[in-house]
């Protein structure tokens, strides 16, 4: 019996003109895994995440989600983005919404969840990344601004 990881990134390359942001990056994550991308500003962390949900197109390599190639031309990008959410760094958060509210918004608008279900999922996700205590904080409070 073969085990297919939830996310598999193989030799991903992303270039911007003469600068290489990602150079042969590979990783796998199983369902339930929690991972951390650590590195200095400009090292490609956000670029890699943006490549997974096709906000940024890759120049080489492949990305698979649940066994399906999602970096190929036949991918329904809208459907992919319904499955792969991304909360941007604080400058892109809605400043009038709390951390929980920013998460709930996508769950309700894109996935059609009820307010109660979106709140439950948002709280679970905040707990999973150990910031549940900041659920009712606004972006300026989260960044210290």
């Amino acid at each position: 019996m073969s085990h297919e990881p939830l996310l598999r990134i193989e030799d991903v390359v992303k270039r911007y003109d003469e600068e290489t942001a990602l150079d042969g990056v590979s990783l796998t994550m199983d369902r339930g895994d929690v991972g951390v991308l650590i590195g200095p500003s400009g090292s490609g962390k956000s670029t890699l995440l943006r490549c997974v949900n096709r906000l940024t197109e890759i120049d080489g390599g492949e990305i698979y989600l649940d066994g399906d190639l999602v970096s190929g031309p036949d991918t329904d990008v809208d459907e992919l983005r319904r499955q792969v959410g991304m909360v941007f760094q604080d400058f892109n958060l809605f400043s009038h919404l709390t951390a929980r509210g920013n998460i709930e918004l996508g769950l309700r608008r894109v996935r059609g969840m009820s307010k109660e279900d979106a709140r439950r999922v948002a709280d679970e996700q905040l707990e999973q990344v150990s910031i549940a205590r900041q659920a009712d904080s606004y972006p300026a409070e989260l960044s210290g601004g």
Side-chain angles (χ1 to χ4, degrees), residues 60-72:
E62 295 177 331
I63 301 173
Y64 296 86
L65 184 64
D66 223 4
D68 296 325
L69 178 67
V70 296
S71 56

Side-chain angles (χ1 to χ4, degrees), residues 46-62:
S46 295
T47 299
L48 180 62
L49 294 174
R50 292 174 61 86
C51 290
V52 172
N53 69 359
R54 305 269 305 260
L55 289 172
T56 297
E57 295 296 330
I58 62 175
D59 296 314
E62 295 177 331

Side-chain angles (χ1 to χ4, degrees), residues 119-133:
R119 177 170 284 258
R120 179 185 49 75
V121 170
D123 286 344
E124 289 170 0
Q125 291 175 347
L126 289 164
E127 182 65 39
Q128 188 175 19
V129 295
S130 302
I131 60 170
R133 69 185 183 287

